Amino acid sequence: MLILKHGFVPNSFGCGVSTPLVKDKTGNLNDVDNYRGITLSPIISKLSEITVLEIRNDVLKTDSLQFGFKTGTSCTNAIFTLKTTVQHFIDKGSSVFISSLDISKAFDRVHHFKLLSAGFPVVNIDVLCNCK
């Protein structure tokens, strides 16, 4: 694949059509918080992503406690794990304190070239940096 060979991603790969979807059809349709956006990406960029994931699968391992963006897991799995953990500590008479952190924008702040220490080839890092 030439993208992986040269580390160059065409600008058109980042183009897509964004569409707002109603979250709750019985809710207020004039409330912007009742919508979430989805972007329909070109099929060639989706195929390229799948190819990169297959080729570099050896260095793209994730933690078993990560539920988002993984095949076979969902919010339901995360909620079940949270509820089970909380119930375990309550059953043992312990206090339970929970905090959460929204890191949805963190990828833009990642120092991508630190991936070199994880064995990620430079050309693959270039591809990640050029995917916008």
Side-chain angles (χ1 to χ4, degrees), residues 2-132:
L2 290 175
I3 290 173
L4 288 177
K5 182 177 180 182
H6 297 288
F8 174 77
V9 180
N11 288 337
S12 60
F13 271 41
C15 295
V17 177
S18 294
T19 304
L21 291 180
V22 177
K23 292 180 184 177
D24 178 10
K25 293 181 182 178
T26 62
N28 183 357
L29 298 179
N30 293 320
D31 182 6
V32 294
D33 291 328
N34 193 24
Y35 290 86
R36 67 179 178 92
I38 64 160
T39 301
L40 304 173
S41 302
I43 190 69
I44 189 69
S45 50
K46 286 304 213 183
L47 290 171
S48 297
E49 289 173 20
I50 292 167
T51 304
V52 169
L53 287 174
E54 283 297 317
I55 291 171
R56 298 307 312 167
N57 192 35
D58 57 326
V59 294
L60 294 173
K61 301 292 181 204
T62 59
D63 191 274
S64 62
L65 293 176
Q66 177 183 334
F67 297 100
F69 307 104
K70 285 177 74 172
T71 302
T73 63
S74 66
C75 288
T76 306
N77 299 98
I79 292 167
F80 173 77
T81 302
L82 176 64
K83 287 176 74 173
T84 304
T85 303
V86 169
Q87 192 61 52
H88 170 79
F89 285 101
I90 289 172
D91 290 347
K92 301 290 183 190
S94 179
S95 297
V96 177
F97 302 95
I98 298 174
S99 67
S100 65
L101 176 64
D102 179 4
I103 58 169
S104 59
K105 301 290 183 193
F107 186 76
D108 296 337
R109 292 173 177 75
V110 170
H111 190 283
H112 294 92
F113 285 93
K114 287 191 177 180
L115 293 170
L116 286 170
S117 63
F120 220 77
V122 175
V123 70
N124 296 147
I125 297 169
D126 286 341
V127 169
L128 284 175
C129 292
N130 291 323
C131 285
K132 295 178 184 172

